[in-house]
């Protein structure tokens, strides 16, 4: 018996990094996964990885920051895989640690549009069917930047603090209707978002990454395990909580 047998799971940003690792983990536990991401080519490669493990994957091209695109993706998902009962809101982009005076309105709108408004839009599009199906779980990929300063710049940190607030409010509003909502707060993880940064090996960056108690950055699979816990009934009494997996970043 898999922990997600019979469930359909949408994972935004599912073509790379934490999203793809989680998709593989969810599929290995019996879920049919629907990968939502920007680019058809990377989606096809990601689906192949899930299928090579023996899982079932569908792909949907979407820009989570655009309402029309999200509505079309929700409709396409219903055609492909029926009612969604697991949603992982994971798509996100970084702001290169820009302080406010280097954050023009375009950068602010782009980061908030994907990282925060994207979560709002995708949840609004999929929640009604989840309620009709009798319940489900939502896992939002937040960040240590949702808890403390310095994990990103002005826009990124603001967006992730917003994701934590949205997680709590959703859990508060819908818990008694069978919807459990929680978020994961990763520290530094080697993914598409950070690969170049880590490969460049700049002393200031690597010092702050490696000086955590764990002494290293994480691999996406280490976050996927946490996402599975929250998506499944293993976390049946967790509502609106932030689960930190940061190698000890935030205890320093
Ligand atoms: N890597 C880290 O160190 C780290 C730390 C904390 C939190 N996070 C969060 O983890 C999440 C996943 O990021 P990752 O590190 O796996 O990076 P990643 O770049 O490997 O994956 C992010 C995916 O999101 C997709 N995406 C971006 N904008 C999109 C949009 N508008 N619509 C649809 N898809 C879009 C990208 O195409 C990409 O496939 C993000 O929310 C990020 O903020 C990452």
């Amino acid at each position: 018996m898999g922990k997600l047998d019979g469930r359909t799971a949408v994972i935004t940003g599912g073509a790379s990094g934490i999203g793809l690792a989680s998709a593989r983990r969810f599929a290995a536990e019996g879920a049919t996964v629907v990968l939502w991401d920007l680019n058809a080519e990377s989606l096809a490669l990601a689906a192949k990885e899930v299928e090579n493990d023996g899982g079932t994957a569908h792909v949907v091209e979407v820009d989570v920051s655009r309402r029309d695109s999200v509505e079309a993706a929700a409709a396409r998902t219903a055609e492909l895989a029926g009612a969604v009962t697991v949603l992982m809101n994971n798509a996100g982009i970084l702001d290169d640690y820009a302080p406010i005076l280097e954050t023009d309105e375009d950068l602010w709108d782009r980061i908030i549009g994907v990282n925060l408004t994207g979560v709002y839009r995708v949840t609004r599009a999929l929640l009604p069917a989840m309620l009709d199906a009798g319940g489900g779980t939502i896992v939002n990929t937040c960040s240590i930047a949702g808890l403390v300063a310095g994990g990103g710049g002005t826009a990124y940190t603001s967006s992730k603090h917003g994701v934590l607030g949205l997680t709590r409010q959703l859990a508060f509003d819908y818990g008694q209707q069978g919807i459990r909502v929680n978020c994961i707060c990763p520290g530094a993880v080697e993914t598409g978002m950070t690969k170049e940064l880590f490969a460049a090996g700049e002393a200031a960056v690597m010092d702050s990454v490696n000086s955590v108690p764990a002494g290293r950055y994480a691999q996406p699979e280490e976050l996927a395990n946490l996402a599975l816990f929250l998506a499944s009934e293993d976390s049946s009494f967790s509502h609106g909580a932030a689960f930190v997996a940061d190698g000890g970043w935030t205890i320093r």
Side-chain angles (χ1 to χ4, degrees), residues 9-224:
V10 163
I11 297 125
T12 73
S16 175
I18 296 168
L20 175 55
S22 301
R24 292 177 67 178
R25 198 78 186 82
F26 291 5
E29 291 292 338
T32 294
V33 297
V34 188
L35 310 179
W36 285 24
D37 212 304
L38 287 169
N39 173 279
E41 236 167 81
S42 53
L43 276 168
L45 289 173
K48 192 136 254 145
E49 287 199 37
V50 175
E51 285 159 3
N52 286 343
D53 296 340
T56 306
H58 299 283
V59 299
V60 176
E61 261 182 86
V62 66
D63 178 345
V64 298
S65 69
R66 288 184 33 220
R67 191 175 68 188
D68 55 345
S69 179
V70 168
E71 283 169 359
R76 179 74 186 129
T77 298
E79 281 169 16
L80 287 169
V84 173
T85 56
V86 175
L87 166 61
M88 182 170 181
N89 278 307
N90 168 80
I93 51 175
L94 199 53
D95 64 355
D96 290 332
Y97 300 88
I100 195 165
L101 295 179
E102 287 160 33
T103 303
D104 62 19
E105 297 221 357
D106 282 351
L107 178 60
W108 174 265
D109 287 347
R110 200 150 30 87
I111 301 293
I112 298 292
V114 175
N115 294 6
L116 180 56
T117 312
V119 178
Y120 155 82
R121 291 211 163 112
V122 173
T123 304
R124 260 178 73 86
L126 295 179
L127 185 59
M130 208 181 258
L131 287 165
D132 286 347
T137 49
I138 300 177
V139 182
N140 294 326
T141 304
C142 186
S143 168
I144 52 165
L147 306 171
V148 297
T154 298
Y156 188 81
T157 298
S158 302
S159 72
K160 293 298 186 179
H161 274 65
V163 169
L164 177 54
L166 186 47
T167 300
R168 289 175 170 155
Q169 191 64 43
L170 282 167
F172 181 84
D173 289 333
Y174 293 99
Q176 296 200 359
Q177 293 173 66
I179 308 289
R180 285 193 310 105
V181 192
N182 292 287
C183 66
I184 62 171
C185 298
V189 189
E190 187 180 31
T191 65
M193 185 180 273
T194 53
K195 224 168 214 151
E196 278 177 27
L197 201 62
F198 295 167
E202 228 180 88
V205 174
M206 296 325 287
D207 282 354
S208 84
V209 167
N210 292 327
S211 66
V212 297
R216 64 177 176 87
Y217 47 79
Q219 292 304 313
E221 291 71 22
E222 297 178 87
L223 280 303

